Amino acid sequence: NAGVTQTPKFQVLKTGQSMTLQCAQDMNHNSMYWYRQDPGMGLRLIYYSASEGTTDKGEVPNGYNVSRLNKREFSLRLESAAPSQTSVYFCASRDGTSRNNEQFFGPGTRLTVL
Amino acid sequence: GNSVTQMEGPVTLSEEAFLTINCTYTATGYPSLFWYVQYPGEGLQLLLKATKADDKGSNKGFEATYRKETTSFHLEKGSVQVSDSAVYFCALSDISGNTPLVFGKGTRLSVIA
């Protein structure tokens, strides 16, 4: 049982390059989330998917797109990376059938945009 | 809307000291409350939770009690260790499990030997 996995673990991009961050969960969760965490800062929600086939904007969606490929996978795409997108990105999942259920986080992707 | 406010850090304690990290919330209805911990270089993991008023969550020597009258969920530990150094996040889940958790900004704890 791997939980939430993210690839890659580290990435360096040049300004203007594009990339996709991959996330997968094996817990049959219906809800998945993408967050960014800047140094010394808390979490900020980028996008989320409450169920397969739906996506919604979070607090900081500009510059990002997402795809809920199937129930297991939720990817985050940066079309034209900017230095302001240098951050640690966390994917998370949750069984949304109850408010009591915990949210599980992946190990993070550390992205640097030069 | 729903919100979580937790004490700003960083908090620096000596080993074996008593820890309190304050957390208060604003929510409609009866949310579930969580404490998450983030160790250096890792993702967040659940530390404890409470799902109704007067519930006490506990784990690894940490405790927090869901106080509806004061809308609080303060984290406590009687004797901290160096290994407790981490960032602690308070969070709430409203009546719908499908909406994202609302997180506080996090409190960094450093424990020195």
Side-chain angles (χ1 to χ4, degrees):
Chain A
N1 190 342
V4 179
T5 57
Q6 294 183 235
T7 55
K9 285 187 168 50
F10 301 92
Q11 184 70 49
V12 178
L13 294 177
K14 295 181 180 178
T15 296
Q17 288 185 315
S18 62
M19 79 161 295
T20 300
L21 281 64
Q22 306 287 353
C23 173
Q25 52 90 9
D26 62 1
M27 295 171 282
N28 202 36
H29 288 166
N30 48 355
S31 300
M32 297 186 72
Y33 310 88
W34 276 106
Y35 295 88
R36 60 177 288 174
Q37 184 178 38
D38 300 325
M41 301 280 288
L43 297 171
R44 291 189 290 173
L45 182 66
I46 305 171
Y47 271 95
Y48 68 100
S49 172
S51 61
E52 189 179 355
T54 69
T55 59
D56 286 287
K57 295 178 180 179
E59 181 186 354
V60 288
N62 291 345
Y64 305 94
N65 285 300
V66 290
S67 295
R68 183 73 183 267
L69 304 168
N70 48 55
K71 193 169 186 179
R72 288 188 66 246
E73 298 172 287
F74 189 40
S75 63
L76 178 72
R77 183 159 178 85
L78 287 70
E79 290 291 351
S80 178
S84 60
Q85 294 178 305
T86 294
S87 190
V88 181
Y89 291 84
F90 290 101
C91 179
S93 73
R94 183 174 183 222
D95 179 347
T97 57
S98 167
R99 65 179 175 84
N100 300 333
N101 292 337
E102 71 175 277
Q103 195 162 300
F104 293 81
F105 285 80
T109 293
R110 283 146 184 82
L111 175 67
T112 301
V113 183
L114 302 175
Chain B
N2 298 336
S3 66
V4 173
T5 303
Q6 59 182 107
M7 62 186 287
E8 293 196 16
V11 175
T12 302
L13 295 173
S14 297
E15 211 166 20
E16 299 183 4
F18 185 86
L19 168 71
T20 300
I21 299 177
N22 290 337
C23 171
T24 57
Y25 67 89
T26 301
T28 53
Y30 303 97
S32 294
L33 301 172
F34 304 82
W35 276 103
Y36 280 81
V37 60
Q38 183 181 30
Y39 299 106
E42 298 184 8
L44 281 70
Q45 56 186 274
L46 181 69
L47 180 59
L48 55 84
K49 70 178 183 182
T51 59
K52 61 182 187 296
D54 300 323
D55 265 3
K56 178 185 284 188
S58 61
N59 187 24
K60 300 181 181 179
F62 291 88
E63 293 182 340
T65 301
Y66 188 163
R67 301 285 188 203
K68 186 172 181 295
E69 63 276 12
T70 55
T71 62
S72 65
F73 192 54
H74 305 321
L75 183 69
E76 296 181 336
K77 187 175 186 183
S79 176
V80 294
Q81 306 300 312
V82 172
S83 57
D84 294 325
S85 297
V87 182
Y88 293 82
F89 292 90
C90 185
L92 73 80
S93 173
D94 69 10
I95 57 173
S96 169
N98 268 335
T99 55
L101 294 186
V102 176
F103 285 90
K105 294 187 184 303
T107 303
R108 181 176 299 278
L109 170 67
S110 296
V111 181
I112 54 178

